[in-house]
Amino acid sequence: RMSIRFEHALDLSCAPAKAFAILDDIAQTPKWITRVTGVEKLTNSRDAVGTRLRYSYREAGHTGSIEAEIVSRQPSEHLRLRIEDKLANVTLDFRMSPRDGGTRLVNVVEIMPKTFMARVFSPVIRNQLPKHVCAALEELRRLVEEAS
């Protein structure tokens, strides 16, 4: 089965620790992913590998929620989330490294459609994904730079 993958890198004017702190703070997520209306922790642990999260979202007049799990978390360096729902498995991967006094952030989104309908819509998703990812990362940049 074909997965849909999109990778985007951008340079931020802050240190990797600050970029990581905003990515890692679920209260900040709706500020940079506009379709997300809220995030709650489903496990009462501190943020760590295995922590489960529920994202509420609104898109095209439709509301819903999806669950995610932190599968890798290395402060100031790497955050990886896995989302599994009935339509697709999604991996969100963020890597940070120091660059020219700031941070190079590389985001990889991988979507593995699971149903026939999800596969039918794959060309649309593949077409729309870059726009959504780039818009979210530009919002993230704005948040990070306001906080610096």
Side-chain angles (χ1 to χ4, degrees):
R1 288 196 285 205
M2 284 293 296
S3 72
I4 299 163
R5 187 178 185 280
F6 180 67
E7 179 173 327
H8 186 65
L10 75 163
D11 294 311
L12 303 171
S13 61
C14 66
K18 178 158 272 175
F20 183 87
I22 288 183
L23 280 171
D24 196 44
D25 179 359
I26 61 174
Q28 299 285 344
T29 306
K31 297 179 184 172
W32 62 276
I33 305 178
T34 50
R35 61 173 67 142
V36 172
T37 55
V39 187
E40 61 179 311
K41 256 189 233 186
L42 300 177
T43 38
N44 57 5
S45 60
R46 59 186 182 78
D47 294 330
V49 170
T51 297
R52 295 193 60 78
L53 305 166
R54 179 183 294 123
Y55 289 78
S56 301
Y57 63 87
R58 183 184 301 110
E59 193 167 19
H62 167 79
T63 59
S65 69
I66 51 170
E67 289 186 15
E69 183 178 350
I70 298 174
V71 291
S72 179
R73 184 178 181 278
Q74 295 158 281
S76 305
E77 290 178 23
H78 186 219
L79 186 63
R80 185 178 180 95
L81 299 168
R82 185 174 54 225
I83 299 162
E84 295 185 8
D85 79 1
K86 54 186 183 293
L87 298 177
N89 292 340
V90 181
T91 306
L92 304 175
D93 191 86
F94 299 91
R95 287 191 186 275
M96 288 134 272
S97 53
R99 179 159 183 166
D100 301 329
T103 300
R104 160 61 48 126
L105 174 66
V106 179
N107 175 214
V108 178
V109 179
E110 195 152 8
I111 301 171
M112 180 64 79
K114 294 202 299 204
T115 65
F116 173 73
M117 282 312 286
R119 288 193 290 278
V120 166
F121 281 102
S122 286
V124 175
I125 297 165
R126 185 175 280 114
N127 188 33
Q128 296 286 320
L129 188 63
K131 182 178 72 177
H132 289 303
V133 171
C134 293
L137 293 177
E138 285 306 323
E139 284 301 305
L140 180 69
R141 185 206 302 271
R142 193 182 53 74
L143 257 187
V144 162
E145 296 185 351
E146 277 174 9
S148 320

